[in-house]
Amino acid sequence: MGGLHGGEVAEGHRMGAATVEGRFRTGFVEHAYIEPEAGYAVRTKAISSEVGTGSREEIAWNDSCDRIEVTACTQAAVMDQEEVARVVGVPMSQVRIVPTACGGGFGGKLDVSVQPLIAAAAWLLRKPVRIVYSRTESMASSTKRHPSKIHALMSADAEGRFTAYEMTGDFNTGAYASWGPTVANRVPVHATGPYKVPHVRNATRAVHTNEPPSGAFRGFGVPQAAIAGETLIDDLAERLGINRWAIRRLNAIDHGDRTPTGQILHASAGLPQCLDAVKAEYDALMAEALAHNAKGGRIARGVGVACMWYGCGNTSMSNPSRMRITLARDGRLTFLNGAVDIGQGSSTVLLQIAADALGLPTTDFDFVIGDTDLTLDAGKTSASRQTFVSGNASKLAGEDLRARILALANAGPEAKLSLDGARLVVMDGEASRTIDLSTLAADEAGIVLAGEGEYDPPTTVLDPRGQGIPYATYGFAAQVAAVDVDRLLGTVKVRRIIAAHDVGRAINPTLTEGQIHGGIAQGLGLALMEEYLPGRTENLHDYLIPTAGDMPEIAIHLIEDTEPEGPFGAKGVGEPALVATAPAILGAIRHAVGVRMTEVPVLPHRLWEAMQAQNREAAE
């Protein structure tokens, strides 16, 4: 169970000129990553496996082989290491996890899947063991997005200022807890959306059922909650006669405002800028829809707008990351990065951060990613934390190594570095010098200098009322959706999405935009087509996901409201990319045909039935 109580919600409702209410449902959603679960395991003995050496030797299997090595797709190498050690019955030091280049995760590969199975088999059989799930096996065995049942009320005064929000939500965690408690704790913090609401009471439960287990999935319950909250905001706008964009702009949380947990956002709260960035396109699309609909006909056009916020990192929990950079006698510079890249580009971004902090180009680096024998624990790739948390650790590691180099050269902080084989050049005016690394004392792996960095976000435990600092920073976004609805068939075509995201600083703008494109695709699927029915849709023929033909034109505005706590001002965008899309599409459907949908996906038969019910009510 999770909860948040701020202010006095009954009083807040009494203060309102309008109160709206709704009940909302979402179902199971499959991760549908391109690469199914796969991996192999070998029982072996490593001669050298010291963390950070970058070296490893093996011998052929024999009776002294007392280690198990697993190479597999994963989002959390150290968590896999812990689980394999527990299942096989050996210390963690006897387990090595080597992450593969991961063909997508979205949270589904945060749950340990094939790793303990192949590890136990290889350990007992004393032979290499491999496994590759078929698509049906993957869909039948993996966790899903938590289905939800949400009841919410929201009030606003006559001018449109929100006065109260309350929500109760049940999240179906299936036969096992998995990440149900995480969802139950995260949703109450986010349920009001990124708005100023003085009186809040939110309560959630992760409920066991005799159904497939639900688990981590991009957003940890926040996309479900956003559908409820943003729909109620549209209700209030309609009831009070206020423009849907304007009511959000009026209530948008800003610098210096207090969140429902009592946290004051001192910096990097860029929702107002996001809304301002989409305003002109929102107005133009609204005018276009008005002109189109005035002609009548079978196709109705609509526009929706929705906002979101998302805390980067674990909710009110320590989630540190450690990084290491080594410099060898031969001039080899190695970035030992324990953060698994599941397709979001963290390996590139973290390398950029480390290189900038050190003052050497990325082309000078070799790197090792995720290998538990060679890298330090960077934490799980989840909760939109790697750019922010591991980015800070990477920056600190680069700065640490730079400080050691400058001290060795007796150079000032503005010195410039370059590497030419084993020659390290430190340029600092008259104090410039060249260091022959091959002449320096080295450890057994040939390392002459190393830098390490560790970072853990400054959060606090929430009190019994849910008050405190659950996250060090938040991502913000506003999205606008334009759709065409076929009145006869009940089909929806998303024509255009405008997405403005406050990312703190875009370390790599291309990768940032890629994350937003991918999030929009998943949000569109959540809104319109993705519905996992156990035993019935366990393949990509019966389970529909968006294709290139379903994707709309997308325009992106990157808002850089710098986060002082982040590496070079950056924060996460992985999950924020998804959250606002579905509610914006639902708002656009409502604008087009006047139907308020409260269950997703909005499949054609559901929308058609809702439109028929609306017609009957109008006739009566």
Side-chain angles (χ1 to χ4, degrees):
M1 297 183 66
L4 185 152
H5 190 178
E8 297 298 332
V9 72
E11 176 62 22
H13 287 309
R14 283 193 293 270
M15 294 165 56
T19 298
V20 294
E21 182 177 8
R23 296 183 183 275
F24 305 86
R25 294 175 62 98
T26 68
F28 287 112
V29 181
E30 160 69 15
H31 295 87
Y33 23 71
I34 292 175
E35 175 200 29
E37 292 78 359
Y40 67 89
V42 179
R43 184 169 175 173
T44 187
K45 182 175 182 65
I47 295 175
S48 176
S49 58
E50 182 180 344
V51 169
T53 64
S55 66
R56 173 181 174 271
E57 300 175 43
E58 288 185 1
I59 59 175
W61 180 85
N62 58 46
D63 288 339
S64 67
C65 291
D66 58 359
R67 304 190 85 227
I68 188 75
E69 298 191 358
V70 179
T71 301
C73 51
T74 180
Q75 293 183 229
V78 173
M79 187 172 74
D80 290 355
Q81 186 184 24
E82 293 169 347
E83 190 69 7
V84 168
R86 186 181 68 83
V87 170
V88 175
V90 298
M92 279 183 62
S93 60
Q94 290 175 223
V95 177
R96 182 188 193 194
I97 304 294
V98 182
T100 61
C102 189
F106 314 119
K109 292 172 183 172
L110 191 60
D111 292 281
V112 180
S113 56
V114 300
Q115 295 88 331
L117 304 180
I118 55 178
W123 186 263
L124 295 174
L125 296 174
R126 302 177 184 271
K127 294 180 179 180
V129 174
R130 69 174 182 174
I131 191 169
V132 179
Y133 279 180
S134 68
R135 181 60 61 180
T136 298
E137 289 169 337
S138 173
M139 294 181 74
S141 65
S142 62
T143 59
K144 304 292 178 275
R145 184 181 292 285
H146 286 75
S148 66
K149 295 180 181 179
I150 294 173
H151 175 225
L153 296 90
M154 194 171 194
S155 295
D157 65 21
E159 295 180 345
R161 290 184 174 84
F162 301 150
T163 59
Y165 185 88
E166 63 177 311
M167 180 272 290
T168 56
D170 284 345
F171 289 80
N172 178 355
T173 198
Y176 300 91
S178 185
W179 295 90
T182 303
V183 168
N185 287 330
R186 183 176 283 266
V187 169
V189 174
H190 290 85
T192 57
Y195 305 106
K196 293 171 282 190
V197 187
H199 304 285
V200 177
R201 183 170 61 223
N202 298 327
T204 53
R205 300 187 301 178
V207 181
H208 283 295
T209 65
N210 190 28
E211 292 189 276
S214 300
F217 197 150
R218 199 175 194 173
F220 281 107
V222 178
Q224 298 94 303
I227 288 171
E230 293 294 318
T231 300
L232 294 186
I233 292 173
D234 283 352
D235 290 344
L236 287 171
E238 184 177 283
R239 184 81 61 86
L240 296 169
I242 299 174
N243 177 286
R244 291 172 294 159
W245 176 91
I247 197 171
R248 288 171 169 84
R249 184 62 175 84
L250 175 67
N251 290 283
I253 205 161
D254 203 346
H255 298 77
D257 287 332
R258 188 181 299 272
T259 74
T261 70
Q263 180 179 357
I264 296 176
L265 300 181
H266 296 288
S268 199
L271 181 61
Q273 297 98 305
C274 290
L275 281 163
D276 292 344
V278 303
K279 178 62 162 60
E281 289 154 299
Y282 173 79
D283 289 342
L285 289 170
M286 286 289 289
E288 179 185 311
L290 180 64
H292 175 90
N293 293 337
K295 300 174 185 177
R298 175 172 165 176
I299 303 299
R301 186 159 290 176
V303 181
V305 59
C307 299
M308 76 93 229
W309 67 332
Y310 198 83
C312 297
N314 298 344
T315 309
S316 291
M317 291 174 60
S318 173
N319 61 131
S321 175
R322 295 175 65 200
M323 292 287 174
R324 192 166 193 248
I325 305 172
T326 61
L327 183 59
R329 295 181 69 186
D330 60 2
R332 185 162 51 94
L333 184 65
T334 304
F335 179 33
L336 297 149
N337 167 16
V340 179
D341 190 331
I342 59 171
Q344 81 279 24
S346 64
S347 294
T348 300
V349 169
L350 299 181
L351 178 60
Q352 288 180 264
I353 292 170
D356 280 1
L358 175 56
L360 286 169
T362 57
T363 51
D364 282 354
F365 285 78
D366 293 333
F367 47 88
V368 176
I369 300 172
D371 187 327
T372 57
D373 266 10
L374 306 176
T375 65
L376 302 169
D377 186 2
K380 305 172 185 67
T381 297
S382 67
S384 301
R385 62 179 291 280
Q386 291 295 21
T387 295
F388 178 64
V389 180
S390 290
N392 268 321
S394 301
K395 181 172 181 285
L396 292 169
E399 291 172 344
D400 184 32
L401 180 54
R402 179 179 176 83
R404 294 175 188 275
I405 291 172
L406 297 182
L408 180 66
N410 196 27
E414 302 302 318
K416 295 183 179 180
L417 309 180
S418 64
L419 267 175
D420 181 12
R423 298 171 65 250
L424 174 62
V425 180
V426 182
M427 293 169 285
D428 189 24
E430 295 181 356
S432 298
R433 61 179 298 185
T434 298
I435 301 172
D436 184 354
L437 297 173
S438 65
T439 65
L440 300 183
D443 66 14
E444 61 184 19
I447 305 302
V448 295
L449 291 169
E452 290 190 10
E454 180 173 4
Y455 178 78
D456 196 3
T459 60
T460 66
V461 175
L462 299 181
D463 69 17
R465 290 171 60 93
Q467 299 298 296
I469 301 174
Y471 310 102
T473 189
Y474 299 79
F476 295 88
Q479 292 189 6
V480 174
V483 307
D484 282 348
V485 179
D486 188 317
R487 301 178 194 270
L488 184 61
L489 299 178
T491 56
V492 178
K493 175 65 177 177
V494 182
R495 299 175 53 247
R496 186 169 170 80
I497 297 280
I498 316 298
H501 282 257
D502 168 25
V503 300
R505 182 178 179 188
I507 299 293
N508 189 309
T510 300
L511 290 177
T512 303
E513 291 184 0
Q515 281 292 283
I516 296 170
H517 277 262
I520 288 170
Q522 282 190 309
L524 188 153
L526 171 65
L528 298 179
M529 62 185 70
E530 296 195 44
E531 184 173 46
Y532 176 80
L533 303 174
R536 293 175 54 190
T537 60
E538 291 170 350
N539 58 74
L540 292 181
H541 176 269
D542 298 309
Y543 184 84
L544 301 180
I545 61 174
T547 67
D550 298 305
M551 288 301 293
E553 179 184 350
I554 298 173
I556 295 173
H557 302 276
L558 295 182
I559 307 301
E560 296 184 302
D561 189 355
T562 301
E563 170 52 65
E565 187 68 24
F568 301 108
K571 53 190 180 182
V573 73
E575 286 156 294
L578 160 74
V579 177
T581 305
I585 291 172
L586 295 190
I589 294 170
R590 180 177 182 175
H591 180 239
V593 294
V595 173
R596 179 183 185 264
M597 299 301 294
T598 58
E599 180 178 2
V600 295
V602 183
L603 299 174
H605 73 276
R606 288 180 181 148
L607 180 54
W608 186 87
E609 289 169 357
M611 289 190 291
Q612 299 312 303
Q614 180 190 60
N615 292 338
R616 287 193 297 270
E617 290 177 6
E620 293 172 358

